[in-house]
Amino acid sequence: MNKKLFNLILVLLLSTFVAFNGCKKDEESNPVTPTINESEILAKHFEDNNLYVHGASFVITAENVRTNILTNPTKQLIIDIRSAADYATKHLKGAVNQTVAGLPAYFKTLTLANYDKVVIVCYSGQTSAFATSLMRAMGYGDKVVSMKWGMSSVDSSFAQNYWLNTIANGSSRVSEFVTTTSPAKNAKGDLPKLSTGKSTAAEILEARVNAVATEGFGQANISQATVYSNLASYYICAFWPNNLYLDPGHINGAIQYDPAAATKTFALGVDLKTLPTDKTVLVYCYTGQTSAFVAGYLRLLGYDAKSIGYGANGMIYNSMVAKNVANTFIPANEIKGYTDIFD
């Protein structure tokens, strides 16, 4: 073999060997960090430790709140998340005023062992249900509750612009609800992509609670009028048992997701992954309170989830009354007139 050609081949072989080993050393000294799926970490955390959406009831009645105020006020903390102006005008005895965005930091200052109940209060019970969801997600437990129906249940002066107004105009969709069987749920797909930059469940959860609380309930709530303006834009979950899904019926195209705790609806191991990540997910229930609670959970996981405001009460109120459906807002039963518990 020609000596020059031999030397050239030798140089090329040596260069290749050096380059290969250099790259190998670089790879060993700078290993690639594996990509983590934050949403899956968070979903597994909930499923393994605190699947709170299937825990104890998240509501407390105005009657029980009043009893606690009158008999053992120091064991009940009331957090009023209405506007500062409305709080200043009239609020429950002993209540403190906080914003939804401020709740994560505020809860860190509390010694929860001092209280039997921590009651979050709003106008209609929907924003407070959403806020309760976020605080239960943080692991503060079942003592954190939302006052059912909100301040509307305490006195008619509050109900006038909220529940009374809702039920007065809440039967506009009676003729549009259908009684067909449920469409099939989506095939299971991927979870949403979160990018908090955190790696542990606790860190991801705290980052998400802060972010969702800062966004506020406005991002998690939608009116029935907006929904009906373009039904096809949404993936709609009817959070009703089968008998009510069929009668008095459901929004056309809505898919039944059974709220029975035993089924653990929206759990990772059940049907969470049937929810789309490329479409807004709507949840509705009887009152908008449970759906607001669930929307909080889903938004923590990264879904663009919203609660249909006031639920079926805001769409088919007359049918609910006629069929004696549970959680129908009956003013004579639900507005208590508790004027003795105001500051």
Side-chain angles (χ1 to χ4, degrees):
M1 180 184 289
N2 182 288
K3 187 174 181 179
K4 288 184 179 180
L5 179 60
F6 175 80
N7 289 337
L8 177 60
I9 292 171
L10 183 61
V11 169
L12 290 172
L13 288 172
L14 288 172
S15 298
T16 301
F17 176 79
V18 170
F20 174 78
N21 282 278
C23 290
K24 186 176 180 181
K25 287 179 181 179
D26 287 343
E27 290 169 1
E28 289 173 349
S29 60
N30 298 290
V32 175
T33 303
T35 301
I36 65 170
N37 187 324
E38 295 183 16
S39 185
E40 186 148 11
I41 289 173
L42 195 52
K44 286 181 177 178
H45 165 79
F46 286 136
E47 193 146 314
D48 293 342
N49 302 286
N50 181 24
L51 192 54
Y52 68 94
V53 287
H54 294 286
S57 174
F58 69 90
V59 296
I60 186 172
T61 65
E63 182 177 9
N64 285 336
V65 171
R66 176 178 179 268
T67 297
N68 294 337
I69 289 173
L70 297 178
T71 63
N72 202 1
T74 62
K75 299 300 288 183
Q76 175 179 259
L77 174 63
I78 301 173
I79 305 174
D80 189 328
I81 56 173
R82 296 177 302 140
S83 72
D86 288 344
Y87 169 84
T89 298
K90 187 184 290 186
H91 58 266
L92 298 178
K93 288 182 179 178
V96 298
N97 191 215
Q98 289 289 327
T99 63
V100 173
L103 287 178
Y106 179 67
F107 265 73
K108 287 184 176 181
T109 70
L110 300 176
T111 303
L112 289 186
N114 291 341
Y115 307 103
D116 294 332
K117 292 293 180 185
V118 178
V119 183
I120 303 179
V121 176
C122 69
Y123 299 99
S124 67
Q126 295 178 69
T127 306
S128 57
F130 172 76
T132 298
S133 176
L134 302 187
M135 294 304 97
R136 283 201 179 185
M138 284 299 297
Y140 290 120
D142 296 342
K143 67 173 57 182
V144 183
V145 289
S146 167
M147 191 167 76
K148 188 175 182 179
W149 311 118
M151 293 293 281
S152 295
S153 190
V154 179
D155 188 72
S156 60
S157 61
F158 298 104
Q160 194 64 45
N161 292 325
Y162 294 92
W163 277 105
L164 289 177
N165 183 61
T166 295
I167 64 175
N169 301 287
S171 295
S172 59
R173 305 300 174 184
V174 168
S175 64
E176 297 178 73
F177 263 47
V178 298
T179 57
T180 53
T181 57
S182 177
K185 296 171 184 173
N186 279 355
K188 291 184 179 180
D190 295 326
L191 290 171
K193 303 298 183 185
L194 294 176
S195 55
T196 67
K198 308 299 182 181
S199 57
T200 69
E203 292 172 325
I204 295 167
L205 177 57
E206 183 170 10
R208 287 301 297 156
V209 168
N210 284 325
V212 175
T214 298
E215 289 173 352
F217 184 53
Q219 294 299 310
N221 186 46
I222 190 168
S223 71
Q224 59 88 8
T226 299
V227 174
Y228 270 92
S229 69
N230 194 353
L231 287 177
S233 296
Y234 309 105
Y235 185 87
I236 305 175
C237 305
F239 202 51
W240 270 27
N242 190 58
N243 64 312
L244 293 178
Y245 179 87
L246 296 175
D247 183 18
H250 52 272
I251 296 173
N252 193 15
I255 301 165
Q256 188 207 4
Y257 282 77
D258 195 333
T263 66
K264 290 185 168 53
T265 302
F266 301 131
L268 179 61
V270 184
D271 50 21
L272 178 65
K273 288 187 175 182
T274 65
L275 302 179
T277 59
D278 60 350
K279 200 171 190 179
T280 299
V281 175
L282 304 185
V283 184
Y284 75 91
C285 63
Y286 304 101
T287 69
Q289 293 170 97
T290 298
S291 54
F293 187 77
V294 170
Y297 165 74
L298 295 177
R299 291 187 74 82
L300 290 175
L301 293 170
Y303 289 99
D304 179 21
K306 298 179 186 291
S307 166
I308 300 180
Y310 295 94
N313 273 269
M315 294 182 281
I316 57 165
Y317 182 75
N318 288 349
S319 293
M320 293 179 70
V321 172
K323 295 179 181 297
N324 197 30
V325 175
N327 292 303
T328 301
F329 188 85
I330 307 297
N333 299 334
E334 306 301 346
I335 301 176
K336 303 299 183 180
Y338 291 151
T339 57
D340 58 338
I341 56 172
F342 291 130
D343 269 346

